Amino acid sequence: MESGTATPQANGGGSWSAFLKSIASFNGDLSSLTAPPFILSSTSLTEFSSYWAEHPSAFAAPAREPDAAKRAVLVLKWFLTTLKQQYASRSEQYGNEKKPLNPFLGELFLGKWEDDAGTTELISEQVSHHPPATAYSITNVPTGVHLEGYNAQKASFSKTINVKQIGHAVLTVPAPGSDVPDKYLITLPSLHIEGLIFGSPFIELDGASYITSSTGFTAKIDYSGKGWLSGKKNSFTAALYPTGKEKEVLFNVSGQWTKSFEIYAGAAKHNSKSSLVDSWDPEKTPMSELIVAPIEKQHPLESRKAWAKVAAGIASGNMDAVAAEKSKIEMAQREMRAKEKAEGRLWQRRYFSVGTDAADAVLTKLGAVVGVPVHGDADKTGGLWRFDRSKADKVRNEALSEEEAQKLAKELLGQ
Ligand code: HC3
């Protein structure tokens, strides 16, 4: 069976209907969802962090803009450009969104982009397993634009799978001519799965998400899908306004997050050719390719290396091998947790630490504007995770010997 390409229909409707029955009563923990083989992806959720910067030039652009309101609109533009990758890229022909691999604690996904924007580095780490949470740090080296954040998901079933994203992202933009960088607090949209009943799942975003800045601007993005009678798939409208003055719209954006969008000055009711200030068309803007080290050079905890045997099993449709290889990792992880408990220690995250400030500075200043609590929903994500530069500097040039790498793989992954 070619699980990577086969449709549910091609694999027998029986197991798909059993899957549908099982999700109608599932407990909200997406990692516990038992999906039929043909809907299993060999990509781990730690890889999803890369979707934030597949257009590094858009990511870095705000650092070159001297005007604070225009910087805020460039941040909004970059955020909107990421949505297609985040929510539709795995389902190029709509309708084959698969179930990603559940990362193990400590799993890493490291990479970089090298293009016109210079080097942009990605670090993604599974910082919590119960509840599952992934943290990430992305830095454009020449400009110093830096994104960090963490996320978890809470799912419920009502007509379909509905997913609320827990967590947030913080973008730091060094502003031209200022010693104090801008901070942007970004919330994450809710989503639901469409097409489940037809065996062709894809994502639609819903509700609203926000970006609020230390420079006094807020963007609200409203998502809507194709209704019964009207509307287009993956639609959105967005408005940027001085924080607290929602009616004083400085810029508005509209379009489809999978297709193109236009940015206009002022409120939407005045949109005309002359108020059009910018636009985006993913077809005309090629993505940069993420560079990931070859598997043999990766750290044992790097995602593609750790899951290589599971991925091979999925690709060849050998589900016995998939189950056996997954259970090796799960057992080794369980044993490691038991050992840590017995020795009274915790797993040391490699790049992130639980926020040490008595109160997180960004959430204290900006959280209330966009509904992010000062504790950052730490109870649902295993902590309020912040990138720890000192940890990252320490491991930057660390080289494991072949022997050390093998020992780690055995101990932590049962390989
Ligand atoms: C819900 C989801 C897992 C979570 C994925 C997240 C929210 C992860 C963080 C990224 O930044 C954005 C993102 C994009 C897609 C989200 C996934 C879509 C489907 C997957 C479920 C666990 C799988 C449901 C199974 C099935 C067969 C219906 O696809």
Side-chain angles (χ1 to χ4, degrees):
M1 179 176 64
E2 246 311 314
S3 68
T5 51
T7 62
Q9 289 81 359
N11 287 276
S15 55
W16 186 252
S17 54
F19 174 59
L20 289 184
K21 273 188 204 137
S22 78
I23 55 175
S25 59
F26 96 116
N27 61 10
D29 174 6
L30 284 169
S31 57
S32 73
L33 208 75
T34 314
F38 51 82
I39 208 83
L40 294 182
S41 157
S42 54
T43 304
S44 154
L45 270 180
T46 54
E47 291 209 22
F48 286 32
S49 306
S50 66
Y51 298 138
W52 284 106
E54 287 182 306
H55 292 288
S57 304
F59 178 65
R64 275 183 283 275
E65 173 53 61
D67 179 81
K70 289 184 184 159
R71 267 200 311 281
V73 85
L74 283 172
V75 169
L76 172 61
K77 179 182 175 188
W78 153 73
F79 173 81
L80 296 169
T81 68
T82 68
L83 299 177
K84 181 176 181 203
Q85 292 312 119
Q86 297 262 22
Y87 304 107
S89 59
R90 298 160 303 279
S91 195
E92 262 157 44
Q93 296 300 318
Y94 287 132
N96 54 353
E97 182 72 49
K98 294 194 172 129
K99 184 176 186 286
L101 293 169
N102 298 323
F104 54 85
L105 181 60
E107 184 176 324
L108 302 170
F109 184 64
L110 311 175
K112 63 177 177 180
W113 296 266
E114 299 275 8
D115 64 4
D116 297 351
T119 301
T120 305
E121 293 173 345
L122 164 73
I123 295 168
S124 176
E125 178 171 6
Q126 190 68 10
V127 285
S128 175
H129 189 60
H130 287 301
T134 312
Y136 47 87
S137 158
I138 301 179
T139 313
N140 175 252
V141 179
T143 59
V145 172
H146 177 244
L147 179 79
E148 62 178 296
Y150 56 93
N151 58 268
Q153 296 85 40
K154 191 173 174 345
S156 59
F157 186 86
S158 158
K159 293 194 187 122
T160 186
I161 300 176
N162 300 288
V163 180
K164 195 172 167 308
Q165 296 202 65
I166 302 161
H168 60 271
V170 176
L171 182 76
T172 303
V173 178
S178 165
D179 295 341
V180 187
D182 300 355
K183 296 281 180 188
Y184 297 82
L185 175 60
I186 302 169
T187 68
L188 311 166
S190 298
L191 57 102
H192 61 270
I193 309 285
E194 294 213 351
L196 258 190
I197 197 92
F198 305 112
S200 52
F202 67 94
I203 291 177
E204 185 59 275
L205 300 178
D206 48 60
S209 75
Y210 295 85
I211 305 175
T212 192
S213 76
S214 58
T215 52
F217 300 98
T218 298
K220 180 179 187 221
I221 305 122
D222 284 295
Y223 304 93
S224 59
K226 190 168 160 58
W228 282 106
L229 295 171
S230 62
K232 285 184 183 162
K233 256 181 181 177
N234 317 133
S235 297
F236 72 90
T237 56
L240 180 86
Y241 47 86
T243 301
K245 298 178 179 164
E246 204 161 332
K247 295 226 160 73
E248 294 176 24
V249 177
L250 301 170
F251 293 93
N252 78 87
V253 194
S254 54
Q256 281 171 282
W257 50 264
T258 36
K259 298 209 165 118
S260 58
F261 60 78
E262 278 85 45
I263 305 177
Y264 295 89
K269 61 183 176 197
H270 303 303
N271 284 359
S272 68
K273 259 189 183 165
S274 62
S275 63
L276 180 70
V277 290
D278 201 355
S279 63
W280 176 263
D281 183 348
E283 297 284 309
K284 294 188 186 140
T285 329
M287 276 173 28
S288 262
E289 206 182 316
L290 181 72
I291 303 165
V292 178
I295 288 204
E296 59 287 2
K297 295 235 167 86
Q298 290 182 12
H299 185 279
L301 298 183
E302 277 187 71
S303 190
R304 290 184 188 175
K305 185 174 185 117
W307 290 108
K309 291 186 180 146
V310 172
I314 291 176
S316 64
N318 183 346
M319 290 304 141
D320 290 339
V322 171
E325 292 301 330
K326 269 190 178 176
S327 101
K328 277 187 197 164
I329 297 180
E330 281 158 11
M331 271 167 57
Q333 285 283 304
R334 264 200 295 275
E335 276 165 26
M336 181 46 80
R337 299 294 87 83
K339 191 167 175 223
E340 286 162 0
K341 198 169 171 198
E343 293 170 5
R345 58 186 173 90
L346 290 174
W347 172 255
Q348 288 308 305
R349 279 71 175 171
R350 216 167 142 82
Y351 295 96
F352 296 85
S353 293
V354 165
T356 46
D357 294 1
D360 183 81
V362 174
L363 296 188
T364 304
K365 189 172 158 68
L366 300 172
V369 180
V370 292
V372 180
V374 272
H375 53 69
D377 280 317
D379 53 330
K380 301 187 188 91
T381 52
L384 191 170
W385 298 100
R386 291 291 180 241
F387 181 57
D388 191 328
R389 218 164 280 280
S390 60
K391 280 186 174 176
D393 288 344
K394 229 182 189 168
V395 298
R396 190 171 286 274
N397 296 315
E398 178 202 83
L400 287 181
S401 68
E402 188 51 35
E403 220 182 339
E404 287 166 322
Q406 277 174 7
K407 188 169 172 257
L408 270 184
K410 180 93 208 114
E411 203 174 23
L412 297 166
L413 308 169
Q415 294 173 347

